[in-house]
Amino acid sequence: MKKLYMSTVHKLLLSLLFLPVFGGAQFVTFPKEAKFIFGDNPAWSEAGYNDNGWTFQQLAKSFTKDSSYAWYRIRVVIPSTLKTKDGRGLKLMLGKIDDADQTWLNGRKIGETGSFPPDYETQWEKPRLYIIPENEVRWDQENVIAVRIYNLIGGMGMWEGPYRIEPLGWTDDVSIDREIAEISGKGVQLKLRFKNLTEHGFRGAAYYWVADKTGKKILFSEQKTVYLPAGKNEMAVVDFTPFRKQGEDVFTVGYRINDDSSALFSTYDQMFIAGNELDIPVNNQVTPVVKDKIQPVFTAIPFQQQQLNGYLQTRLLQNLEQRLLQVDEEGLMGSYFRRPGIHPWAGEHVGKYLEAASNTWKLTRDPRLKKQMDRIMYGLIHTQKDDGYLGTYTPDQYWTSWDVWSHKYNLYGLLAYYSISGYQPALESCKKMGDLLCRTFGEQPGQLDIINAGTHVGMAATSVLDPMVELYRYTGDKKYLDFCYYILRAWEQKNGPKLISTLLTTGNVAKVGNGKTYEMISNFVGLVNLYRVTGDAALLSPVLIAWKDIVKNRLYITGTASAHEYFQDPGHLPAGIDASMGEGCVTTTWMQLNQQLFQLTGENKYLEQIERTFYNHLIGAENPQTGCVSYYTPLMGKKPYTCFITCCMSSIPRGIALLPYFTYGRAGNSPALMLYEPAVYTDTVRTSDARKVGLTLQLENNFPAFAGSTLTMQLTEKARFPFVLRVPDWCQAFTARVGGTTYKGIAGKNLVIERNWNLQEQISIRFKMPVKIWSGGKSYPGQIAFQRGPQVLAVDSSFVAASSAITDTVKRMPLQAGGYLEDVKTALLPATWIGKQLYPVYYRDKAGDTNGTNLIVVPFADAGQSGGAVRVWLPLVKKP
């Protein structure tokens, strides 16, 4: 049975007449704002300190100020109704704090998490829960909670709740595991499992109900006794009667557990959608209704006409099997089906999943994936409010923090689903979101300022620009286009990031807003898309300036950017695990920007960036054996793979699913082969005499392990037309031989072969992949890195022992720039290793040096998959 966990709805407890009502408050919540100040002073922990001169800071909101101390002071009245019978104490919940904290109640220190300089340790993702002794509480009076925090770099603050105080009691002694499962006939069944965490027994009652979608009409209810025997780890299971209703598949499910001996209770409710029997038909692929003013120079053929094989296809299928099909549906949907979400940006994941799944399904047509994304899409649109709201916040927190950001990704995901299926409710959901955004934000009286609705000088919220352009393309509704231009004006407000004006005057991306990489590049993607729709060349200019600055000054050799999630000073590219470099979201978004630019211009310099990113940092962030993802993927050290949902866990699969957009297609009107992965392409070409002729291409090779390919071309009729072969910038001696004629290509350019083609032709493609030696630059002076073809190579500590045994297999000569690595030692690879490339290298720091170094190197994208430490930058001068 499929488990589905869904979201907070209207509370039912008081409306259910059969439920007993207990007197007294069960917990105390905090005000929305707290007194706040930057700096550090021990006196600020004292209860009687006068903080009248402090400002206010909103709780559950992150802000940016590097290497800073700050303090919060929160006043709260704690009622005596929270006293426990046995004086066990109270729980103080402070949510998550970036990075470290120390906390006082009425001047007494009650807890700390992480550590402050000089022994700094971040614990930015750990929920804070501290115990308050009851004799420290000023009952029925004001209490002062003082929180001292420290942040090293990037975002900081009390960024995520919950914020409340509640008594210790039976809810801390008993764990409750719920299983809400779909049964046949679109029904639902609840099972509760209780586990005793102490030596004391528990007696109580479980009240269960099923209501309609709104939570207002009770459809079914049931009460059962709960008895948990005394003794640690004792178990009890309560099964409730299955429920189904003809014609209904969306319910509200809830329960409340009461204690026979106290007023403490535990309650839970969520939306539940019975989606296992969904079968949403595909009504052909949808095309936009608005014609772009700037027509693409390169267009990929439809995904279903591509049959990819080889190295990258292996990774794409691993992405399908290990990541998409194994996705945690509760993690995707739980924050929608039980609002508020588990953290401020929990809403982004489902939209990212739907976009990645839609692109993957276009290529694979995998029925398992279709059923899964149908179920998830259906669940998502049924959590949308009547006014169009589709975020994870409660009404009192609408349009704060990352709320617009979540709508952005829901627009992406649902538009992607609509584009492959034609499912009209998905588009209608997007229109409702778009209408709500247009009503909520703007320059008219009563409208909100979008810059104030998101983090990073508003760049998180304004990155909704790109999907709003897409919504305009698919609907033709001009108000969405007008909204896009409102965003451009908002950028240049006094409180805005000055995105366009800063780039035009400084050419420096680090000076835009607060320099936050992911959000900024996301805005660039939207700006290019707006240029495509409108033809306004002024929109493209700042993006091209930014692109040049990134490539020249901010880009790692593996095709990513950012350290600690921000653009750094020119040439400052720290690559260790402590640098938090190469955020996966940045990697994917950088590739998306280059995809847009390549399609619109056809310039190979953008495809070269896509290729560099894809072959290195993108697939290098996802473990091919497990599907787990590195949030940050260092060039030096172990890749910190994790399997739980994060923003990067959701972004990397999106990037991998983009592969078919730049493999083969049309450059102008000519068929064009862009990547040299083995594949079969089915196409129709327009001949020189304006006929349409069927074309099948089969590309056979062992790329990227070996250079050279055989391209077999089959036509339904003899024809004359130009055929384009991209000549990669990393290759040498590129030739294409067909019909006795040899054509020579120039690195970085396209080779165009126009001739009379027979019904079947073979093109023999040959080139060399010399080794490029990179200098370590400012961050790694005196060190070098190797690149072979599109792949950056790395040492993996898993093979250190093997490297000492390869002396006899390696030629005694230094590896120099322009040399070649063709000696692939696949026999040294472990049986579980995904990939077929391993090279023995012998290098020395200067000619004539006979004391060289033996190494085994593998592609950076493959390195680290078995837990070994990775090293891309290698010392040029041997240590004695």
Side-chain angles (χ1 to χ4, degrees):
M1 292 185 291
K2 187 68 186 178
K3 300 179 186 178
L4 294 174
Y5 295 83
M6 328 253 168
S7 147
T8 300
V9 293
H10 178 71
K11 294 293 182 183
L12 300 171
L13 297 178
L14 296 180
S15 68
L16 298 177
L17 297 180
F18 62 83
L19 291 183
V21 178
F22 296 90
Q26 180 159 299
F27 57 83
V28 173
T29 58
F30 290 7
K32 295 180 181 179
E33 294 182 321
K35 285 295 187 76
F36 178 84
I37 194 171
F38 284 111
D40 197 28
N41 185 337
W44 295 343
S45 67
E46 297 172 5
Y49 178 80
N50 185 348
D51 55 20
N52 287 341
W54 291 22
T55 61
F56 283 94
Q57 178 69 28
Q58 180 180 319
L59 295 177
K61 184 175 182 180
S62 177
F63 52 93
T64 302
K65 191 171 178 68
D66 294 344
S67 191
S68 294
Y69 289 87
W71 285 70
Y72 292 83
R73 284 172 62 88
I74 305 161
R75 288 177 166 81
V76 60
V77 174
I78 303 178
S80 55
T81 54
L82 294 189
K83 288 183 179 181
T84 63
K85 290 182 179 180
D86 52 4
R88 293 179 63 180
L90 307 180
K91 294 182 292 186
L92 171 62
M93 302 179 189
L94 295 177
K96 297 179 182 179
I97 299 174
D98 193 353
D99 289 329
D101 79 284
Q102 294 174 332
T103 298
W104 289 259
L105 176 75
N106 299 326
R108 182 182 183 276
K109 188 176 178 181
I110 58 172
E112 61 182 305
T113 305
S115 56
F116 287 64
D119 301 316
Y120 163 74
E121 178 187 0
T122 180
Q123 290 286 352
W124 71 280
E125 284 193 304
K126 184 175 182 178
R128 272 59 167 177
L129 191 154
Y130 301 133
I131 304 302
I132 302 175
E134 292 190 26
N135 60 2
E136 297 291 338
V137 177
R138 299 175 179 177
W139 297 106
D140 301 314
Q141 301 177 52
E142 187 176 79
N143 293 260
V144 178
I145 300 165
V147 184
R148 179 193 186 213
I149 68 171
Y150 174 78
N151 171 71
L152 178 63
I153 192 168
M156 69 180 298
M158 297 177 65
W159 61 275
E160 176 183 322
Y163 306 109
R164 67 186 191 186
I165 298 172
E166 63 183 47
L168 288 160
W170 75 265
T171 55
D172 302 290
D173 300 337
V174 177
S175 70
I176 305 173
D177 177 50
R178 63 185 168 272
E179 180 181 314
I180 305 175
E182 180 175 347
I183 58 175
S184 62
K186 299 182 180 180
V188 58
Q189 183 175 21
L190 171 67
K191 176 183 289 188
L192 296 176
R193 295 183 179 90
F194 298 84
K195 182 178 180 180
N196 200 334
L197 305 178
T198 69
E199 298 299 331
H200 308 290
F202 172 78
R203 289 182 180 273
Y207 304 91
Y208 166 60
W209 66 90
V210 181
D212 65 0
K213 176 182 176 179
T214 67
K216 296 177 180 178
K217 181 181 179 181
I218 303 299
L219 305 175
F220 172 80
S221 63
E222 189 173 25
Q223 176 179 338
K224 291 200 173 186
T225 299
V226 180
Y227 170 66
L228 189 59
K232 193 172 184 179
N233 296 324
E234 287 288 337
M235 304 287 293
V237 177
V238 178
D239 281 306
F240 292 92
T241 304
F243 173 78
R244 59 178 62 85
K245 183 178 180 181
Q246 185 70 29
E248 298 284 344
D249 58 7
V250 182
F251 307 104
T252 300
V253 176
Y255 63 83
R256 169 169 165 160
I257 313 299
N258 287 338
D259 177 19
D260 286 350
S261 59
S262 77
L264 292 180
F265 61 88
S266 174
T267 185
Y268 179 89
D269 59 67
Q270 66 168 64
M271 185 180 290
F272 178 85
I273 296 178
N276 285 348
E277 298 178 19
L278 280 173
D279 184 17
I280 297 176
V282 175
N283 297 319
N284 299 320
Q285 190 166 330
V286 179
T287 57
V289 300
V290 174
K291 185 176 181 180
D292 296 331
K293 294 290 180 64
I294 304 298
Q295 290 298 302
V297 175
F298 177 81
T299 305
I301 62 170
F303 286 23
Q304 59 267 31
Q305 295 171 218
Q306 304 186 41
Q307 180 184 326
L308 305 180
N309 303 298
Y311 178 71
L312 293 186
Q313 173 67 352
T314 298
R315 288 304 193 93
L316 193 147
L317 292 178
Q318 289 295 116
N319 188 50
L320 168 65
E321 297 289 344
Q322 300 287 351
R323 181 73 271 127
L324 295 176
L325 290 175
Q326 304 302 321
V327 75
D328 175 9
E329 291 188 39
E330 179 183 348
L332 291 182
M333 299 299 298
S335 291
Y336 284 93
F337 297 146
R338 185 172 173 80
R339 295 180 173 104
I342 59 173
H343 60 72
W345 54 85
E348 74 182 66
H349 304 304
V350 64
K352 289 181 174 181
Y353 160 82
L354 284 172
E355 185 183 26
S358 296
N359 281 327
T360 302
W361 183 82
K362 279 198 296 184
L363 178 71
T364 65
R365 290 296 201 262
D366 189 287
R368 299 168 300 168
L369 184 61
K370 178 63 165 56
K371 189 172 185 64
Q372 182 190 63
M373 65 180 183
D374 285 352
R375 180 171 61 244
I376 291 172
M377 178 281 307
Y378 190 78
L380 179 63
I381 64 175
H382 276 86
T383 67
Q384 189 168 33
K385 301 295 185 180
D386 291 340
D387 65 357
Y389 180 81
L390 192 52
T392 62
Y393 290 48
T394 50
D396 61 316
Q397 294 294 313
Y398 281 1
W399 313 123
T400 61
S401 192
W402 298 88
D403 205 9
V404 177
W405 178 264
S406 296
H407 284 78
K408 158 192 164 180
Y409 279 108
N410 286 333
L411 285 167
Y412 270 136
L414 291 173
L415 285 172
Y417 184 89
Y418 170 69
S419 73
I420 66 165
S421 67
Y423 186 62
Q424 195 66 27
L427 179 63
E428 292 303 315
S429 178
C430 292
K431 289 164 65 175
K432 289 172 69 177
M433 278 189 281
D435 293 348
L436 177 61
L437 290 169
C438 291
R439 291 195 307 270
T440 302
F441 299 103
E443 298 153 322
Q444 299 303 313
Q447 290 186 304
L448 301 179
D449 180 355
I450 196 168
I451 298 298
N452 294 330
T455 58
H456 305 298
V457 200
M459 289 191 296
T462 61
S463 66
V464 76
L465 172 65
D466 187 43
M468 287 297 282
V469 174
E470 287 298 292
L471 185 58
Y472 169 65
R473 294 180 71 232
Y474 278 102
T475 65
D477 191 330
K478 188 176 178 297
K479 70 171 174 284
Y480 304 138
L481 182 63
D482 293 340
F483 184 82
C484 294
Y485 275 100
Y486 157 65
I487 288 177
L488 269 59
R489 294 191 299 275
W491 284 343
E492 301 303 321
Q493 293 172 181
K494 184 177 180 180
N495 63 337
K498 313 293 191 300
L499 190 145
I500 292 177
S501 60
T502 300
L503 288 169
L504 293 177
T505 55
T506 72
N508 186 338
V509 292
K511 293 185 178 298
V512 174
N514 63 352
K516 186 65 163 58
T517 308
Y518 176 22
E519 288 75 7
M520 191 189 308
I521 298 179
S522 298
N523 280 278
F524 294 157
V525 172
L527 202 52
V528 176
N529 204 6
L530 188 58
Y531 160 70
R532 174 175 66 167
V533 171
T534 64
D536 184 351
L539 303 178
L540 184 62
S541 298
V543 179
L544 298 181
I545 291 170
W547 186 89
K548 291 177 183 177
D549 181 42
I550 294 169
V551 171
K552 181 181 178 181
N553 298 313
R554 330 277 174 179
L555 197 66
Y556 288 87
I557 64 173
T558 49
T560 191
S562 84
H564 302 290
E565 302 191 8
Y566 290 79
F567 284 121
Q568 304 296 310
D569 292 337
H572 180 58
L573 298 169
I577 194 167
D578 59 342
S580 299
M581 65 145 295
E583 182 188 4
C585 299
V586 171
T587 303
T588 292
T589 311
W590 170 245
M591 196 172 70
Q592 289 175 310
L593 176 61
N594 282 281
Q595 175 194 348
Q596 290 261 28
L597 292 171
F598 174 62
Q599 290 174 338
L600 290 180
T601 68
E603 294 185 45
N604 282 348
K605 64 183 180 181
Y606 302 119
L607 184 57
E608 290 160 6
Q609 294 299 330
I610 293 170
E611 185 177 56
R612 175 180 302 281
T613 299
F614 209 109
Y615 273 98
N616 295 290
H617 223 89
L618 181 71
I619 61 173
E622 184 173 285
N623 190 316
Q625 296 187 30
T626 65
C628 299
V629 169
S630 290
Y631 193 109
Y632 307 111
T633 308
L635 307 189
M636 311 288 279
K638 289 189 176 183
K639 296 179 180 179
Y641 296 117
T642 57
C643 297
F644 55 83
I645 291 180
T646 65
C647 60
C648 298
M649 170 74 79
S650 300
S651 284
I652 291 297
R654 293 171 63 222
I656 293 174
L658 296 176
L659 175 61
Y661 278 112
F662 30 78
T663 49
Y664 167 85
R666 300 287 170 73
N669 291 319
S670 302
L673 182 64
M674 294 290 124
L675 295 184
Y676 286 91
E677 288 284 322
V680 176
Y681 302 109
T682 304
D683 196 7
T684 300
V685 298
R686 192 172 183 85
T687 66
S688 299
D689 56 359
R691 290 179 294 127
K692 290 184 178 180
V693 174
L695 169 66
T696 300
L697 297 172
Q698 182 171 0
L699 183 65
E700 298 174 284
N701 58 39
N702 287 311
F703 185 83
F706 297 97
S709 303
T710 298
L711 181 63
T712 301
M713 177 187 296
Q714 290 185 320
L715 295 166
T716 55
E717 300 178 42
K718 293 181 179 181
R720 182 178 182 87
F721 56 87
F723 188 81
V724 178
L725 294 170
R726 169 180 164 254
V727 183
D729 64 329
W730 41 257
C731 77
Q732 291 179 349
F734 185 101
T735 62
R737 183 172 179 81
V738 56
T741 302
T742 299
Y743 301 86
K744 294 183 178 181
I746 301 173
K749 306 290 185 180
N750 286 338
L751 174 61
V752 181
I753 303 174
E754 182 166 7
R755 57 178 285 126
N756 295 319
W757 301 94
N758 294 315
L759 292 178
Q760 181 166 314
E761 300 274 15
Q762 271 200 348
I763 306 175
S764 178
I765 301 170
R766 297 291 179 265
F767 52 82
K768 295 181 178 180
M769 292 192 288
V771 173
K772 177 175 182 176
I773 297 183
W774 290 87
S775 168
K778 292 180 181 180
S779 298
Y780 293 91
Q783 300 193 47
I784 60 172
F786 300 136
Q787 177 181 333
R788 177 183 180 274
Q791 295 176 300
V792 172
L793 304 178
V795 173
D796 184 319
S797 64
S798 303
F799 301 106
V800 169
S803 66
S804 62
I806 64 171
T807 304
D808 294 337
T809 69
V810 182
K811 295 180 180 179
R812 287 281 178 175
M813 60 180 295
L815 178 61
Q816 300 173 340
Y820 303 102
L821 284 176
E822 303 293 346
D823 189 12
V824 182
K825 297 293 182 181
T826 56
L828 297 176
L829 292 170
T832 57
W833 191 264
I834 305 295
K836 299 180 179 179
Q837 294 171 264
L838 181 148
Y839 304 97
V841 172
Y842 178 79
Y843 82 100
R844 58 192 187 218
D845 61 299
K846 59 184 178 180
D849 181 4
T850 58
N851 297 313
T853 301
N854 294 324
L855 295 174
I856 284 179
V857 292
V858 296
F860 170 75
D862 297 347
Q865 63 180 273
S866 59
V870 175
R871 187 177 184 108
V872 168
W873 295 110
L874 305 169
L876 180 62
V877 179
K878 270 193 62 184
K879 295 181 179 179

